């Protein structure tokens, strides 16, 4: 209640700033700018070193059309405090307007280092910066230097077609720097392409992101032997947190009894869906999906199976069922086909048939999947 605080203590500058800011942000009534300016200037006499008051007066003058005076006050606020949030936001916009993009990026860097939650407030100015060669290279230099907001930038750029073009180019340029793209940054852009249904571009970017060791795990199913340490990106294994089960990857050297692969341990609870999936890109044709797996006291009341679904239509094009009980390195397989131009990208996922988490249907035991493979049938 800033109004009450000011009434009790007229020198309470925090309350005064909150009250004037509230009046300026009130969309229901038009504020009396002259009265607000008088109050802010009166407070300045007792708080000459408070950057927030200069910024507040600057905003009032900006709304009165005194643009040059306003920016002079914003500059004064920033001389007193480099991270004064409102002055920074106004200064970034002004620097973009006049084409001083190097200054704009420097101010953006200062703002986001101090106020990382303010990214949405400056996001609309990014296309103007990145579409200019000087602005682009200034952003690239800041990201190569390890700017803490680079992950947030990739996430924001991944939400629009124009942003994806900039994000893709930044990733390519950063690949040769001392700060190459991180897995999360690549995932943001790949996911953005998938959301825009740019499936081929998404898959090309995934392939571009692979190291020499990762390329050895390639195929229609990436890392079909479930080697640990590679998961995360959309065309790689994605393991989501989910109650009722645990998923672990292990090499044969690290696993119990030498049984390497992915182990799914059920915790005697209901399980709706599961936590393991990856996107795949299968051209039109005839295929076989095969799995080598071991079971330990598996109880599957509502079935457990691998599915392949079309991403566009969520239509199921293949299902590979997993049996109950105890078995060792059992081979399972199923043939399927992908029609011409009807399923440009697919989702490979381990699922249960449960449609509700009823305690009548509890999953128990362990499943060890040693190898999952998709092969194209010979013509």
């Amino acid at each position: 209640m800033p109004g009450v605080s000011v009434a009790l203590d007229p020198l309470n500058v925090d309350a005064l700033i909150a009250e004037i800011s509230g009046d300026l942000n009130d969309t229901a009534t038009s504020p009396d700018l002259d009265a607000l300016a008088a109050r802010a200037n009166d407070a300045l006499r007792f708080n000459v070193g408070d950057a927030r008051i200069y910024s507040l007066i600057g905003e009032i003058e900006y709304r009165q059309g005194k643009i040059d005076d306003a920016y002079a006050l914003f500059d004064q606020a920033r001389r007193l405090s480099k991270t004064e949030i409102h002055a920074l936001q106004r200064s970034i916009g002004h620097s973009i307007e006049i084409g001083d993009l190097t200054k704009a990026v420097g101010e953006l860097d200062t703002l986001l280092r101090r106020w990382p939650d303010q990214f949405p407030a400056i996001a609309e100015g990014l296309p103007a910066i990145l579409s200019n060669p000087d602005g682009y290279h200034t952003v690239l230099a800041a990201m190569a230097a390890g700017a803490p907001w680079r992950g947030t930038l990739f996430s924001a750029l991944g939400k629009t077609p124009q942003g994806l073009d900039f994000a893709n180019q930044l990733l390519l340029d950063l690949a040769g720097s001392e700060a190459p793209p991180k897995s999360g940054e690549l995932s943001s852009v790949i996911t953005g392409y998938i959301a825009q249904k740019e499936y081929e571009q998404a898959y090309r970017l995934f392939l571009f992101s692979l190291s020499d060791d990762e390329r050895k795990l390639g195929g229609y199913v990436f890392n079909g032997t479930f080697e640990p340490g590679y998961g995360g990106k959309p065309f790689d294994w994605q393991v989501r947190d989910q109650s009722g089960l645990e998923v672990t990857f292990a090499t044969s050297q690290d696993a119990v009894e030498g049984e390497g692969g992915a182990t799914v341990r059920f915790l005697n609870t209901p399980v709706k869906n599961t936590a393991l999936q990856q996107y795949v890109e299968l051209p039109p044709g005839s295929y076989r999906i095969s799995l080598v797996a071991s079971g330990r006291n598996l109880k599957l009341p509502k079935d457990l199976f691998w599915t392949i679904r079309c991403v566009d239509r969520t239509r199921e094009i293949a299902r590979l069922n997993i049996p109950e009980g105890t078995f060792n390195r059992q081979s399972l397989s199923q043939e399927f086909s992908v029609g011409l131009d009807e399923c440009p990208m697919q989702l490979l996922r381990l699922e249960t048939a449960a449609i509700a988490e009823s305690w009548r249907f509890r999953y128990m035991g362990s499943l060890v999947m040693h190898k999952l493979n998709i092969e194209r049938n010979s013509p």
Side-chain angles (χ1 to χ4, degrees), residues 129-201:
I129 294 175
L130 292 171
S131 60
N132 180 283
D134 291 338
Y136 176 87
H137 285 99
T138 304
V139 170
L140 177 63
M143 298 177 78
W149 41 266
R150 53 182 270 175
T152 307
L153 175 61
F154 278 119
S155 180
L157 293 176
K159 296 177 180 178
T160 65
Q162 183 186 24
L164 283 167
D165 291 340
F166 291 130
N168 189 62
Q169 188 59 49
L170 286 167
L171 289 172
L172 293 173
D173 290 336
L174 285 170
S177 74
E178 296 182 356
K182 301 175 184 177
S183 178
E185 296 165 353
L186 288 158
S187 293
S188 293
V189 182
I190 293 171
T191 302
Y193 277 123
I194 293 172
Q196 297 292 331
K197 299 185 178 182
E198 297 284 347
Y199 301 130
E200 290 187 11
Q201 185 64 30

Side-chain angles (χ1 to χ4, degrees), residues 98-128:
I98 64 176
D100 192 348
L101 300 181
T102 300
K103 181 181 178 183
V105 174
E107 293 167 335
L108 182 148
D109 182 63
T110 300
L111 176 70
L112 296 180
R113 286 176 185 272
R114 175 61 181 86
W115 310 97
D117 61 328
Q118 291 298 309
F119 194 95
I122 52 86
E124 64 180 18
L126 290 173

Side-chain angles (χ1 to χ4, degrees), residues 55 73-75 77-78 84-92:
S55 185
L73 285 161
F74 294 142
D75 289 342
R78 293 205 57 216
E84 205 295 305
I85 183 170
H86 185 74
L88 265 173
Q89 290 173 336
R90 282 298 190 190
S91 186
I92 291 169

Side-chain angles (χ1 to χ4, degrees), residues 7 49 103 118 127 142 162-164 198 202 207 210 214-215 227 235 242 265 272 304 347-348 366 377:
K103 181 181 178 183
Q118 291 298 309
Q162 183 186 24
L164 283 167
E198 297 284 347
L207 295 177
L210 298 179
E214 289 172 328
R215 288 190 179 92
E227 293 294 322
F235 291 95
Q242 184 169 329
R265 187 166 74 92
K272 183 181 177 182
L304 178 69
L347 180 64
L348 174 65
S366 297
N377 292 332

